[in-house]
Amino acid sequence: MFKKILMLVFILNFLSSCEYKPIYSSLNKSNYQIIITDLSGDKKLNKYIVENLKRNSKKGSDKIISIRINSKYSREILAKNTLGSTTDYQARAITEFEINRNEITEKLVVDEKFNYQKISDSYEEKSYEQTIKSNLASSISQKLILRLSVIE
């Protein structure tokens, strides 16, 4: 009995002294300021990307990164039923970034796709497509932020 209690105390002491630190916690600590110099392409997609980038930009930082964004959004038909009406779509967002930092220019192209089925209610489908566009923009901006963290 005494050995079990001693073992329990030892295990609890061992586990409580471990330091937990998330692996990607340092990625959210940006020490650079992002300046968007030019936007072209799909306005909604660009708006979502810029909102995500502003959250990761540190104002007043010495390190300044200027970015030009050119985005293209398309919705393509994937499948039709026997009557010829559309049943499946593919949303595709292609975004080209031109990153300028310390007079060094780098280009990054991010291509994201998402397949979905047609919804009978047109209002719900339009709302769902806006949600998809927001999620694609979030994924694109996360890939850009990851790339910027590697550049440093």
Side-chain angles (χ1 to χ4, degrees), residues 42-52 55 73 91 93 112 114 126-142:
D42 189 84
K43 291 181 182 180
K44 281 279 192 187
L45 188 64
N46 286 340
K47 178 186 164 197
Y48 293 136
I49 292 172
V50 169
E51 286 174 1
N52 290 328
R55 282 189 227 126
Y73 177 80
E112 290 290 320
F114 184 77
K126 195 165 197 103
S127 175
Y128 186 56
E129 188 173 353
Q130 290 302 318
T131 304
I132 290 170
K133 198 179 272 194
S134 173
N135 291 340
L136 289 174
S138 177
S139 176
I140 290 168
S141 59
Q142 285 301 319

mmCIF file of all heavy atoms in Angstrom, residues 42-52 55 73 91 93 112 114 126-142:
data_model
loop_
_atom_site.group_PDB
_atom_site.id
_atom_site.type_symbol
_atom_site.label_atom_id
_atom_site.label_comp_id
_atom_site.label_asym_id
_atom_site.label_seq_id
_atom_site.Cartn_x
_atom_site.Cartn_y
_atom_site.Cartn_z
ATOM 1 N N ASP A 42 -10.150 39.357 -57.469
ATOM 2 C CA ASP A 42 -11.418 39.212 -56.768
ATOM 3 C C ASP A 42 -11.423 40.062 -55.487
ATOM 4 O O ASP A 42 -10.595 39.863 -54.599
ATOM 5 C CB ASP A 42 -11.658 37.737 -56.429
ATOM 6 C CG ASP A 42 -13.043 37.510 -55.891
ATOM 7 O OD1 ASP A 42 -13.976 37.349 -56.710
ATOM 8 O OD2 ASP A 42 -13.193 37.498 -54.666
ATOM 9 N N LYS A 43 -12.359 40.995 -55.395
ATOM 10 C CA LYS A 43 -12.381 41.950 -54.279
ATOM 11 C C LYS A 43 -12.708 41.290 -52.943
ATOM 12 O O LYS A 43 -12.088 41.603 -51.930
ATOM 13 C CB LYS A 43 -13.381 43.074 -54.568
ATOM 14 C CG LYS A 43 -12.939 43.979 -55.680
ATOM 15 C CD LYS A 43 -13.938 45.074 -55.919
ATOM 16 C CE LYS A 43 -13.480 45.944 -57.082
ATOM 17 N NZ LYS A 43 -14.418 47.037 -57.366
ATOM 18 N N LYS A 44 -13.706 40.405 -52.925
ATOM 19 C CA LYS A 44 -14.084 39.741 -51.670
ATOM 20 C C LYS A 44 -12.947 38.876 -51.135
ATOM 21 O O LYS A 44 -12.647 38.896 -49.943
ATOM 22 C CB LYS A 44 -15.322 38.868 -51.874
ATOM 23 C CG LYS A 44 -16.613 39.613 -51.886
ATOM 24 C CD LYS A 44 -17.035 39.876 -50.464
ATOM 25 C CE LYS A 44 -18.483 40.354 -50.494
ATOM 26 N NZ LYS A 44 -18.920 40.788 -49.192
ATOM 27 N N LEU A 45 -12.334 38.091 -52.011
ATOM 28 C CA LEU A 45 -11.230 37.230 -51.604
ATOM 29 C C LEU A 45 -10.071 38.071 -51.073
ATOM 30 O O LEU A 45 -9.488 37.745 -50.030
ATOM 31 C CB LEU A 45 -10.778 36.374 -52.791
ATOM 32 C CG LEU A 45 -9.766 35.281 -52.509
ATOM 33 C CD1 LEU A 45 -10.358 34.236 -51.577
ATOM 34 C CD2 LEU A 45 -9.329 34.632 -53.796
ATOM 35 N N ASN A 46 -9.762 39.169 -51.752
ATOM 36 C CA ASN A 46 -8.701 40.065 -51.293
ATOM 37 C C ASN A 46 -9.028 40.661 -49.932
ATOM 38 O O ASN A 46 -8.156 40.794 -49.078
ATOM 39 C CB ASN A 46 -8.457 41.178 -52.305
ATOM 40 C CG ASN A 46 -7.735 40.692 -53.532
ATOM 41 O OD1 ASN A 46 -7.098 39.650 -53.519
ATOM 42 N ND2 ASN A 46 -7.854 41.433 -54.615
ATOM 43 N N LYS A 47 -10.298 41.019 -49.738
ATOM 44 C CA LYS A 47 -10.724 41.594 -48.453
ATOM 45 C C LYS A 47 -10.487 40.608 -47.321
ATOM 46 O O LYS A 47 -9.948 40.971 -46.263
ATOM 47 C CB LYS A 47 -12.203 41.968 -48.524
ATOM 48 C CG LYS A 47 -12.761 42.519 -47.246
ATOM 49 C CD LYS A 47 -14.257 42.727 -47.349
ATOM 50 C CE LYS A 47 -14.833 42.899 -45.970
ATOM 51 N NZ LYS A 47 -16.260 42.714 -45.934
ATOM 52 N N TYR A 48 -10.857 39.369 -47.512
ATOM 53 C CA TYR A 48 -10.654 38.348 -46.486
ATOM 54 C C TYR A 48 -9.170 38.108 -46.214
ATOM 55 O O TYR A 48 -8.755 37.953 -45.063
ATOM 56 C CB TYR A 48 -11.320 37.031 -46.885
ATOM 57 C CG TYR A 48 -12.825 37.064 -46.938
ATOM 58 C CD1 TYR A 48 -13.509 36.489 -47.993
ATOM 59 C CD2 TYR A 48 -13.571 37.651 -45.935
ATOM 60 C CE1 TYR A 48 -14.892 36.492 -48.048
ATOM 61 C CE2 TYR A 48 -14.952 37.672 -45.977
ATOM 62 C CZ TYR A 48 -15.611 37.088 -47.036
ATOM 63 O OH TYR A 48 -16.979 37.099 -47.083
ATOM 64 N N ILE A 49 -8.361 38.079 -47.262
ATOM 65 C CA ILE A 49 -6.916 37.863 -47.099
ATOM 66 C C ILE A 49 -6.287 39.013 -46.332
ATOM 67 O O ILE A 49 -5.489 38.812 -45.407
ATOM 68 C CB ILE A 49 -6.234 37.660 -48.467
ATOM 69 C CG1 ILE A 49 -6.673 36.341 -49.094
ATOM 70 C CG2 ILE A 49 -4.717 37.695 -48.330
ATOM 71 C CD1 ILE A 49 -6.212 36.138 -50.525
ATOM 72 N N VAL A 50 -6.641 40.245 -46.686
ATOM 73 C CA VAL A 50 -6.073 41.415 -46.017
ATOM 74 C C VAL A 50 -6.469 41.437 -44.540
ATOM 75 O O VAL A 50 -5.645 41.757 -43.672
ATOM 76 C CB VAL A 50 -6.504 42.714 -46.734
ATOM 77 C CG1 VAL A 50 -6.165 43.943 -45.921
ATOM 78 C CG2 VAL A 50 -5.856 42.790 -48.101
ATOM 79 N N GLU A 51 -7.721 41.084 -44.227
ATOM 80 C CA GLU A 51 -8.153 41.024 -42.824
ATOM 81 C C GLU A 51 -7.311 40.024 -42.035
ATOM 82 O O GLU A 51 -6.903 40.305 -40.907
ATOM 83 C CB GLU A 51 -9.628 40.636 -42.730
ATOM 84 C CG GLU A 51 -10.579 41.723 -43.119
ATOM 85 C CD GLU A 51 -12.033 41.255 -43.146
ATOM 86 O OE1 GLU A 51 -12.294 40.075 -42.846
ATOM 87 O OE2 GLU A 51 -12.897 42.083 -43.468
ATOM 88 N N ASN A 52 -7.046 38.869 -42.627
ATOM 89 C CA ASN A 52 -6.229 37.862 -41.948
ATOM 90 C C ASN A 52 -4.785 38.314 -41.786
ATOM 91 O O ASN A 52 -4.151 38.022 -40.771
ATOM 92 C CB ASN A 52 -6.275 36.534 -42.704
ATOM 93 C CG ASN A 52 -7.616 35.868 -42.602
ATOM 94 O OD1 ASN A 52 -8.314 35.990 -41.605
ATOM 95 N ND2 ASN A 52 -7.995 35.160 -43.646
ATOM 96 N N ARG A 55 -4.227 40.871 -38.866
ATOM 97 C CA ARG A 55 -4.164 40.269 -37.531
ATOM 98 C C ARG A 55 -2.749 39.822 -37.185
ATOM 99 O O ARG A 55 -2.398 39.762 -36.015
ATOM 100 C CB ARG A 55 -5.106 39.069 -37.444
ATOM 101 C CG ARG A 55 -6.524 39.455 -37.283
ATOM 102 C CD ARG A 55 -7.378 38.235 -36.982
ATOM 103 N NE ARG A 55 -8.540 38.311 -37.845
ATOM 104 C CZ ARG A 55 -8.958 37.382 -38.659
ATOM 105 N NH1 ARG A 55 -8.349 36.232 -38.713
ATOM 106 N NH2 ARG A 55 -10.005 37.559 -39.419
ATOM 107 N N TYR A 73 -10.697 34.050 -58.466
ATOM 108 C CA TYR A 73 -11.636 33.088 -57.902
ATOM 109 C C TYR A 73 -12.527 32.582 -59.024
ATOM 110 O O TYR A 73 -13.016 33.368 -59.843
ATOM 111 C CB TYR A 73 -12.494 33.740 -56.806
ATOM 112 C CG TYR A 73 -13.528 32.815 -56.234
ATOM 113 C CD1 TYR A 73 -13.188 31.874 -55.271
ATOM 114 C CD2 TYR A 73 -14.852 32.870 -56.665
ATOM 115 C CE1 TYR A 73 -14.132 31.011 -54.749
ATOM 116 C CE2 TYR A 73 -15.798 32.010 -56.143
ATOM 117 C CZ TYR A 73 -15.437 31.087 -55.188
ATOM 118 O OH TYR A 73 -16.371 30.227 -54.675
ATOM 119 N N ALA A 91 -14.887 25.170 -56.147
ATOM 120 C CA ALA A 91 -14.443 26.545 -55.937
ATOM 121 C C ALA A 91 -12.922 26.534 -55.960
ATOM 122 O O ALA A 91 -12.284 25.692 -55.321
ATOM 123 C CB ALA A 91 -14.947 27.070 -54.607
ATOM 124 N N ALA A 93 -9.425 29.109 -55.845
ATOM 125 C CA ALA A 93 -8.825 30.424 -55.625
ATOM 126 C C ALA A 93 -7.334 30.328 -55.888
ATOM 127 O O ALA A 93 -6.632 29.546 -55.247
ATOM 128 C CB ALA A 93 -9.088 30.897 -54.204
ATOM 129 N N GLU A 112 -5.783 27.023 -54.073
ATOM 130 C CA GLU A 112 -6.659 26.284 -53.156
ATOM 131 C C GLU A 112 -7.932 25.885 -53.880
ATOM 132 O O GLU A 112 -8.486 26.668 -54.662
ATOM 133 C CB GLU A 112 -7.025 27.145 -51.939
ATOM 134 C CG GLU A 112 -5.893 27.395 -50.993
ATOM 135 C CD GLU A 112 -5.480 26.156 -50.229
ATOM 136 O OE1 GLU A 112 -6.358 25.385 -49.809
ATOM 137 O OE2 GLU A 112 -4.271 25.956 -50.057
ATOM 138 N N PHE A 114 -11.840 23.632 -53.443
ATOM 139 C CA PHE A 114 -12.824 23.038 -52.544
ATOM 140 C C PHE A 114 -14.012 22.553 -53.376
ATOM 141 O O PHE A 114 -14.573 23.318 -54.161
ATOM 142 C CB PHE A 114 -13.306 24.051 -51.499
ATOM 143 C CG PHE A 114 -14.248 23.473 -50.504
ATOM 144 C CD1 PHE A 114 -13.788 22.681 -49.467
ATOM 145 C CD2 PHE A 114 -15.606 23.712 -50.604
ATOM 146 C CE1 PHE A 114 -14.657 22.146 -48.547
ATOM 147 C CE2 PHE A 114 -16.492 23.173 -49.690
ATOM 148 C CZ PHE A 114 -16.014 22.384 -48.656
ATOM 149 N N LYS A 126 -25.609 30.789 -52.048
ATOM 150 C CA LYS A 126 -24.777 31.988 -52.149
ATOM 151 C C LYS A 126 -24.073 32.264 -50.817
ATOM 152 O O LYS A 126 -22.888 32.614 -50.780
ATOM 153 C CB LYS A 126 -25.640 33.181 -52.551
ATOM 154 C CG LYS A 126 -24.849 34.352 -53.024
ATOM 155 C CD LYS A 126 -25.758 35.332 -53.745
ATOM 156 C CE LYS A 126 -24.957 36.269 -54.557
ATOM 157 N NZ LYS A 126 -24.932 35.999 -55.959
ATOM 158 N N SER A 127 -24.789 32.071 -49.724
ATOM 159 C CA SER A 127 -24.200 32.246 -48.402
ATOM 160 C C SER A 127 -23.100 31.215 -48.149
ATOM 161 O O SER A 127 -22.045 31.536 -47.592
ATOM 162 C CB SER A 127 -25.290 32.127 -47.334
ATOM 163 O OG SER A 127 -24.744 32.170 -46.058
ATOM 164 N N TYR A 128 -23.342 29.984 -48.556
ATOM 165 C CA TYR A 128 -22.363 28.914 -48.397
ATOM 166 C C TYR A 128 -21.117 29.199 -49.237
ATOM 167 O O TYR A 128 -19.994 28.954 -48.800
ATOM 168 C CB TYR A 128 -22.988 27.576 -48.788
ATOM 169 C CG TYR A 128 -22.113 26.378 -48.541
ATOM 170 C CD1 TYR A 128 -21.586 26.109 -47.293
ATOM 171 C CD2 TYR A 128 -21.818 25.497 -49.578
ATOM 172 C CE1 TYR A 128 -20.781 25.004 -47.073
ATOM 173 C CE2 TYR A 128 -21.019 24.382 -49.371
ATOM 174 C CZ TYR A 128 -20.509 24.148 -48.113
ATOM 175 O OH TYR A 128 -19.711 23.053 -47.895
ATOM 176 N N GLU A 129 -21.316 29.748 -50.429
ATOM 177 C CA GLU A 129 -20.181 30.080 -51.282
ATOM 178 C C GLU A 129 -19.333 31.197 -50.658
ATOM 179 O O GLU A 129 -18.106 31.169 -50.755
ATOM 180 C CB GLU A 129 -20.652 30.495 -52.673
ATOM 181 C CG GLU A 129 -19.529 30.654 -53.654
ATOM 182 C CD GLU A 129 -19.993 30.901 -55.076
ATOM 183 O OE1 GLU A 129 -21.198 30.820 -55.352
ATOM 184 O OE2 GLU A 129 -19.121 31.163 -55.910
ATOM 185 N N GLN A 130 -19.967 32.156 -49.990
ATOM 186 C CA GLN A 130 -19.213 33.205 -49.295
ATOM 187 C C GLN A 130 -18.402 32.619 -48.137
ATOM 188 O O GLN A 130 -17.271 33.022 -47.892
ATOM 189 C CB GLN A 130 -20.159 34.297 -48.782
ATOM 190 C CG GLN A 130 -20.760 35.148 -49.871
ATOM 191 C CD GLN A 130 -19.707 35.836 -50.716
ATOM 192 O OE1 GLN A 130 -18.713 36.351 -50.212
ATOM 193 N NE2 GLN A 130 -19.902 35.827 -52.028
ATOM 194 N N THR A 131 -18.982 31.638 -47.446
ATOM 195 C CA THR A 131 -18.261 30.962 -46.369
ATOM 196 C C THR A 131 -17.067 30.197 -46.925
ATOM 197 O O THR A 131 -15.981 30.205 -46.337
ATOM 198 C CB THR A 131 -19.199 30.001 -45.612
ATOM 199 O OG1 THR A 131 -20.332 30.733 -45.145
ATOM 200 C CG2 THR A 131 -18.507 29.338 -44.451
ATOM 201 N N ILE A 132 -17.278 29.543 -48.047
ATOM 202 C CA ILE A 132 -16.182 28.813 -48.700
ATOM 203 C C ILE A 132 -15.078 29.789 -49.102
ATOM 204 O O ILE A 132 -13.891 29.521 -48.897
ATOM 205 C CB ILE A 132 -16.698 28.036 -49.928
ATOM 206 C CG1 ILE A 132 -17.580 26.874 -49.481
ATOM 207 C CG2 ILE A 132 -15.553 27.538 -50.799
ATOM 208 C CD1 ILE A 132 -18.323 26.197 -50.599
ATOM 209 N N LYS A 133 -15.463 30.926 -49.655
ATOM 210 C CA LYS A 133 -14.482 31.929 -50.077
ATOM 211 C C LYS A 133 -13.679 32.442 -48.874
ATOM 212 O O LYS A 133 -12.465 32.603 -48.946
ATOM 213 C CB LYS A 133 -15.202 33.088 -50.769
ATOM 214 C CG LYS A 133 -14.310 33.953 -51.599
ATOM 215 C CD LYS A 133 -15.082 35.067 -52.261
ATOM 216 C CE LYS A 133 -15.624 34.644 -53.582
ATOM 217 N NZ LYS A 133 -16.104 35.780 -54.397
ATOM 218 N N SER A 134 -14.365 32.645 -47.760
ATOM 219 C CA SER A 134 -13.695 33.084 -46.533
ATOM 220 C C SER A 134 -12.711 32.025 -46.036
ATOM 221 O O SER A 134 -11.592 32.345 -45.617
ATOM 222 C CB SER A 134 -14.734 33.388 -45.463
ATOM 223 O OG SER A 134 -14.122 33.647 -44.236
ATOM 224 N N ASN A 135 -13.120 30.768 -46.073
ATOM 225 C CA ASN A 135 -12.235 29.685 -45.635
ATOM 226 C C ASN A 135 -11.034 29.513 -46.555
ATOM 227 O O ASN A 135 -9.925 29.241 -46.089
ATOM 228 C CB ASN A 135 -13.017 28.370 -45.530
ATOM 229 C CG ASN A 135 -14.017 28.379 -44.410
ATOM 230 O OD1 ASN A 135 -13.924 29.176 -43.476
ATOM 231 N ND2 ASN A 135 -15.001 27.509 -44.496
ATOM 232 N N LEU A 136 -11.251 29.659 -47.857
ATOM 233 C CA LEU A 136 -10.133 29.586 -48.806
ATOM 234 C C LEU A 136 -9.142 30.718 -48.553
ATOM 235 O O LEU A 136 -7.922 30.514 -48.580
ATOM 236 C CB LEU A 136 -10.639 29.635 -50.243
ATOM 237 C CG LEU A 136 -11.391 28.409 -50.772
ATOM 238 C CD1 LEU A 136 -11.947 28.685 -52.160
ATOM 239 C CD2 LEU A 136 -10.499 27.193 -50.787
ATOM 240 N N ALA A 137 -9.665 31.919 -48.295
ATOM 241 C CA ALA A 137 -8.802 33.068 -48.014
ATOM 242 C C ALA A 137 -8.017 32.857 -46.725
ATOM 243 O O ALA A 137 -6.837 33.216 -46.641
ATOM 244 C CB ALA A 137 -9.635 34.339 -47.927
ATOM 245 N N SER A 138 -8.652 32.265 -45.737
ATOM 246 C CA SER A 138 -7.969 31.978 -44.477
ATOM 247 C C SER A 138 -6.825 30.993 -44.693
ATOM 248 O O SER A 138 -5.718 31.167 -44.166
ATOM 249 C CB SER A 138 -8.962 31.423 -43.461
ATOM 250 O OG SER A 138 -8.321 31.069 -42.278
ATOM 251 N N SER A 139 -7.075 29.963 -45.480
ATOM 252 C CA SER A 139 -6.043 28.980 -45.784
ATOM 253 C C SER A 139 -4.897 29.604 -46.571
ATOM 254 O O SER A 139 -3.718 29.343 -46.301
ATOM 255 C CB SER A 139 -6.655 27.828 -46.573
ATOM 256 O OG SER A 139 -5.690 26.916 -46.964
ATOM 257 N N ILE A 140 -5.232 30.449 -47.525
ATOM 258 C CA ILE A 140 -4.217 31.123 -48.330
ATOM 259 C C ILE A 140 -3.360 32.035 -47.466
ATOM 260 O O ILE A 140 -2.131 32.029 -47.559
ATOM 261 C CB ILE A 140 -4.879 31.906 -49.484
ATOM 262 C CG1 ILE A 140 -5.443 30.937 -50.520
ATOM 263 C CG2 ILE A 140 -3.895 32.879 -50.128
ATOM 264 C CD1 ILE A 140 -6.344 31.582 -51.542
ATOM 265 N N SER A 141 -4.000 32.816 -46.608
ATOM 266 C CA SER A 141 -3.235 33.739 -45.769
ATOM 267 C C SER A 141 -2.372 32.988 -44.755
ATOM 268 O O SER A 141 -1.261 33.426 -44.441
ATOM 269 C CB SER A 141 -4.155 34.732 -45.073
ATOM 270 O OG SER A 141 -5.085 34.058 -44.267
ATOM 271 N N GLN A 142 -2.838 31.844 -44.258
ATOM 272 C CA GLN A 142 -2.010 31.048 -43.348
ATOM 273 C C GLN A 142 -0.766 30.517 -44.055
ATOM 274 O O GLN A 142 0.315 30.473 -43.469
ATOM 275 C CB GLN A 142 -2.815 29.892 -42.753
ATOM 276 C CG GLN A 142 -3.792 30.319 -41.684
ATOM 277 C CD GLN A 142 -3.112 31.005 -40.513
ATOM 278 O OE1 GLN A 142 -2.055 30.595 -40.077
ATOM 279 N NE2 GLN A 142 -3.711 32.072 -40.034
#
